[in-house]
Each structure stands twice: as C-alpha cells, then as structure tokens.
Amino acid sequence: MALRAAWRSQCALPGLLCQRSPVSSSAVHSRNSTSASSKMSVDFDKSTGVAVMRMKSLPVNSLSLDFLTEFCINLKKLEMDKSCRGLIITSSLPKVFSAGLDILEMYGKSPESCGEFWKAVQEMWLKVYSSNMVTIAAINGSSPAGGCLMSLTCDHRIMADNPRYSIGLNETQLGIVAPFWFKDTMVNTVGHRNTEMALALGLLYSPTEALKIGLVDQIVAEDKLMATSEQIMAKWLAVPDHARQITKSMMRKPTIDKLASNREADIQNFVSFITKDSIQKSLHMYLEMLKKRKA
C-alpha cells in the first residue's frame, strides 16, 4: 500500500500518527516457548518475575483498535499472574518504538467507530498507568504522539541514545489537541511549563533533549538498552511490592480518577472534535502528504 511504503521511509523522521497494520493475534508465552504473532509477543521469565513485551506490528507499531485490544488482553493476563512483578515494553522494529495512533481509525469513520477506538486508547492508558507491576519503557526508536503517551504511562523510561530518534506529544502539528489526561500525564512527568511548551508547539525531543526535561529517565547506547532495563527493573523490584504499589497509587490515583469518572464525556468530546469537517480535512491533507513523500 502507498501509505505503508510512505511510513517505512519516514521512520527516522516520524510523523504524528500512523496507519494501521495487518490484523493478527498475540501471544503470552514462557521464555522457552516458540509461539509468536505479527503484532506483539510477550516473553515471561518466571525465574525473575519479569515479562518483556515486544511490539512488532509492521510497519511502525501503529496503535490501531486491534493492536490496543490485544495489548490490553496481554496486560490483563500478566496482571492476573501474581508471579509476574515487572514488565518491560519495547519494539522489535528498527528505528521505531511506536509511531502513534492509527490515523485510519479516525479518518472517514463513523462516530461510533471513533468512539470505540478512543475507548481502547483510554483503556490502554488506564491499565498501564495503574498497573501493580513495575513497568519500564525501553524506547529503541522514535516515539511520537501515542507512542510517547504509552511511554509516559510507564514507571521508568530508558531511551536509546540515537540523535535520529525523537519523542513527544506533537498532536498540535496536525491540528489535534491532546486531551486532558495526556496533558496531566505529561505534567506529572516534566512539570507544567515544559508541558505547556511541548503541547502548544507540538515538540519532538531528541534523546538528549528528552533527558534534560525529564521526559525520559535515562539514555544509553542502543546495544545496552535491554541490559540496562533489566538492571533498573531489579532495583525497582528490590522494594517490597506492597510499599511500592501503595506509593504508586497515592501518586497516580488523582490523575486516574479524573479520567475514570469522565470517560464517556471524554469519548464524546473526542468524537465531536475528530469528526469535524476541518479536522477530517487536516487528516486528509496529512495522508496526501505521505503519498507525495513516497512519490
């Protein structure tokens, strides 16, 4: 497809949102299992209590409705296994962690379809942000928009030190406004002024810039990313679970409750906004831009 090819050429300089990838199922399996899927795999090592989720939905780990649904199913399975204490989220695709929300879930769709998609985005955020597990984002590629949101929901973010990679909530570049819970999550991470500048200007940060404002906690050489993630995970897991979990809830509960008590209103606001003729026109122009870049 023309859009898919366009995105392949764009991974080093990612756009704001991305197209969908083929539908498939995902699998949660033990370290010695050979099962796999085309969207993601989850490798749980019972000896350490740590799972690694590798996103691999071609071409750029787009956050489609199908992807988000499978992501949440896998997360729920891990949460139900009390021996799983930590989760590292990373990508198996070169140059990209996740290029963000699937634009085709929002362009030319019915209000009902847009609402179903947005509910899945909410669910992903709620499940990760409130997870009892220690969650670490091992960011081994660019992570704009929804990819950045996924990273922000984690307890710790480690990014590969490659100046060609970028991260940020850059929705305004496409004429889209980040909702309050995107904003609140970023404020909780980098503070009010940094968030105001980042959201208003739709900024994308290099790893070094992201570290400077606290958008990521560490940057490391790409070949040391997973080893470093495992080392940091061990430090988090050295804290008694009950104390860590209660503290996490204390810090995050007000933000979680704000969305949980306003989910339907947030969905309606999103649907009303995204289905406006002016926004649909902006999305159309963005898709046309991708086609021209391929040509």
Side-chain angles (χ1 to χ4, degrees):
M1 289 177 59
L3 290 177
R4 182 173 299 170
W7 265 119
R8 284 197 184 99
S9 65
Q10 218 183 345
C11 284
L13 293 171
L16 302 167
L17 304 159
C18 56
Q19 69 171 73
R20 71 182 55 194
S21 53
V23 176
S24 68
S25 62
S26 56
V28 177
H29 53 84
S30 67
R31 168 158 287 187
N32 298 322
S33 173
T34 57
S35 61
S37 76
S38 62
K39 282 193 183 302
M40 65 189 74
S41 62
V42 182
D43 184 359
F44 177 38
D45 185 344
K46 289 183 178 292
S47 68
T48 62
V50 177
V52 178
M53 177 183 287
R54 294 179 174 86
M55 302 180 290
K56 52 179 182 177
S57 184
L58 293 170
V60 287
N61 289 325
S62 61
L63 303 183
S64 66
L65 176 59
D66 294 318
F67 182 97
L68 291 166
T69 300
E70 292 183 15
F71 181 95
C72 290
I73 289 172
N74 280 324
L75 197 66
K76 184 177 180 179
K77 288 179 179 177
L78 293 173
E79 289 276 9
M80 291 175 65
D81 187 338
K82 298 306 179 184
S83 66
C84 185
R85 301 174 62 215
L87 173 64
I88 299 171
I89 302 174
T90 192
S91 170
S92 291
L93 304 182
K95 302 179 182 179
V96 62
F97 179 77
S98 170
L101 303 183
D102 186 342
I103 195 170
L104 296 182
E105 296 284 7
M106 299 178 283
Y107 176 67
K109 294 290 187 178
S110 68
E112 292 77 17
S113 294
C114 290
E116 184 182 8
F117 170 64
W118 197 245
K119 186 175 182 179
V121 179
Q122 292 178 335
E123 193 67 18
M124 178 274 289
W125 180 87
L126 285 166
K127 284 191 179 302
V128 182
Y129 205 58
S130 65
S131 176
N132 279 327
M133 298 182 292
V134 174
T135 53
I136 293 178
I139 308 165
N140 54 341
S142 289
S143 188
C148 179
L149 179 70
M150 180 183 285
S151 301
L152 284 170
T153 62
C154 293
D155 298 311
H156 198 93
R157 285 160 294 285
I158 308 171
M159 190 169 188
D161 189 9
N162 185 328
R164 299 185 69 184
Y165 297 163
S166 59
I167 185 171
L169 295 178
N170 57 333
E171 283 80 357
T172 52
Q173 294 280 346
L174 192 60
I176 295 176
V177 178
F180 70 87
W181 45 286
F182 282 49
K183 179 266 295 182
D184 289 346
T185 309
M186 196 165 190
V187 168
N188 292 348
T189 307
V190 302
H192 190 279
R193 181 55 178 164
N194 282 327
T195 298
E196 183 178 15
M197 293 288 288
L199 296 187
L201 298 175
L203 298 179
L204 287 172
Y205 298 90
S206 69
T208 300
E209 293 167 339
L211 179 65
K212 184 177 181 180
I213 69 166
L215 189 57
V216 299
D217 300 297
Q218 290 174 265
I219 56 175
V220 298
E222 192 155 2
D223 61 355
K224 298 185 184 307
L225 182 62
M226 290 308 296
T228 302
S229 297
E230 291 169 0
Q231 292 167 4
I232 295 299
M233 178 64 76
K235 291 183 178 180
W236 279 80
L237 294 181
V239 178
D241 286 350
H242 69 281
R244 172 181 51 77
Q245 291 166 356
I246 292 171
T247 300
K248 180 175 180 175
S249 176
M250 178 176 62
M251 296 300 297
R252 297 189 174 194
K253 190 174 186 299
T255 307
I256 292 167
D257 287 349
K258 187 175 177 182
L259 175 61
S261 61
N262 291 282
R263 287 190 73 173
E264 285 304 317
D266 180 63
I267 290 171
Q268 291 305 313
N269 287 338
F270 170 77
V271 171
S272 176
F273 179 80
I274 207 68
T275 55
K276 287 182 179 179
D277 289 343
S278 59
I279 302 304
Q280 288 292 302
K281 183 178 178 180
S282 293
L283 296 178
H284 175 75
M285 291 173 62
Y286 185 67
L287 289 171
E288 290 300 311
M289 178 189 69
L290 293 182
K291 292 179 182 179
K292 290 179 180 178
R293 287 186 179 183
K294 177 182 179 294

